[in-house]
Amino acid sequence: MKFTIHGVRGSVPTPGVEYAKYGGNTSCFEIETCESQIFCDAGTGFRSAKLLREEKNVCVFFTHFHHDHIQGLPFNNDLFPEGTKICISSALYDKQTTRAVLKQYFSACFFPVNIFENLNHLSVQSFDDAKDALKRDVDISFINLKHPGGAVGYSFVKESKKVVILLDNEFQEPQLDGLSEFCKDADILIWDGMFTKEELLGKRGWGHSSIEQAEEFTKLCDVKKTVICHHAPYRSDTDIDELKARISSGRISFGCEKMSFYI
Ligand SMILES: [Zn+2]
Ligand SMILES: [Zn+2]
């Protein structure tokens, strides 16, 4: 499968030359197989993704509904033409709640167009139904994470290949066993590295983990590659390069917009 990162930024998009190398768009990840095109979150990175609606089953799974994970949804032009259904789902809520939350966000007074009244081909499905529809191709599981308002992490497995996305999560020691098992043998793990260890001291309860925790977790767990994402909006390319230089493990990298992995 092909795994592409469309957005690496946490909280809010960050335009500007000092963010151009890693990218300023908010969370969006894509898994493409012969039959399916699966997105995890639709932050502003979703805007430039090419939707393969005519060729594949397109489904968007949301980790949670904070604005940096949903705000790009109606800005992808491929979403608008009538035609093949696009599935929207989340393991965080049942389908009625998923629909109600998105409907509220994408309608007046927050947004000019009510997306569910104007786009009949958007089909909100329960996680179980969406998982079932894709199960011959990709096996999808979820795990509850620690984040204000809740969030879920997803694992996508095709044959022996596995991608795990753990956004947004405030890592705590009691999660270690459950997350290790969930990430076991992952080819790629997306980690919430919003903060550094020092920054995290003043940000307890904000729902995010640190770059140093990515290192510790990767050391302890059976993960082939950890990609740190959800970069803080103030973190410039120079800052990330400096943090990168401090990491000795070859199994850890920093996510960069438009980075693709063939696994
Ligand atoms: Zn976020
Ligand atoms: Zn969040």
Side-chain angles (χ1 to χ4, degrees), residues 59-232:
C59 194
V60 184
F61 287 91
F62 289 100
T63 58
H64 64 309
F65 297 85
H66 283 166
H67 65 108
D68 49 326
H69 298 255
I70 64 172
Q71 64 200 162
L73 185 68
F75 291 97
N76 186 311
N77 288 333
D78 296 339
L79 200 77
F80 287 85
E82 283 294 323
T84 334
K85 284 210 179 305
I86 294 172
C87 158
I88 288 175
S89 186
S90 175
L92 185 65
Y93 296 142
D94 60 31
K95 69 174 178 182
Q96 288 81 5
T97 311
T98 296
R99 187 184 166 91
V101 168
L102 288 172
K103 189 177 169 184
Q104 186 183 15
Y105 191 82
F106 294 113
S107 58
C109 62
F110 301 110
F111 194 71
V113 180
N114 181 323
I115 59 166
F116 290 111
E117 272 171 24
N118 287 278
L119 304 176
N120 290 325
H121 49 279
L122 290 187
S123 159
V124 181
Q125 297 183 13
S126 70
F127 175 72
D128 287 343
D129 287 349
K131 175 186 161 83
D132 257 18
L134 294 165
K135 75 177 177 197
R136 278 186 311 120
D137 187 29
V138 181
D139 185 33
I140 307 170
S141 315
F142 76 95
I143 189 167
N144 286 306
L145 299 176
K146 187 138 188 59
H147 195 62
V152 296
Y154 290 105
S155 133
F156 303 90
V157 178
K158 182 170 174 67
E159 287 144 18
S160 60
K161 302 298 179 187
K162 178 170 176 178
V163 173
V164 176
I165 296 174
L166 298 183
L167 298 177
D168 294 2
N169 183 47
E170 182 162 353
F171 179 76
Q172 294 186 340
E173 214 52 40
Q175 290 183 306
L176 183 61
D177 289 348
L179 287 183
S180 304
E181 187 56 34
F182 192 73
C183 297
K184 198 172 181 328
D185 296 327
D187 294 274
I188 294 172
L189 162 64
I190 298 295
W191 181 270
D192 173 349
M194 174 96 157
F195 299 128
T196 62
K197 191 177 178 180
E198 295 77 35
E199 290 166 350
L200 194 57
L201 294 173
K203 305 275 168 49
R204 295 281 181 214
W206 287 36
H208 298 288
S209 304
S210 72
I211 290 158
E212 290 80 356
Q213 285 170 326
E215 289 184 86
E216 287 154 28
F217 187 82
T218 306
K219 215 183 287 172
L220 293 172
C221 298
D222 201 0
V223 170
K224 296 189 185 84
K225 188 169 194 57
T226 298
V227 183
I228 296 169
C229 286
H230 210 280
H231 309 319

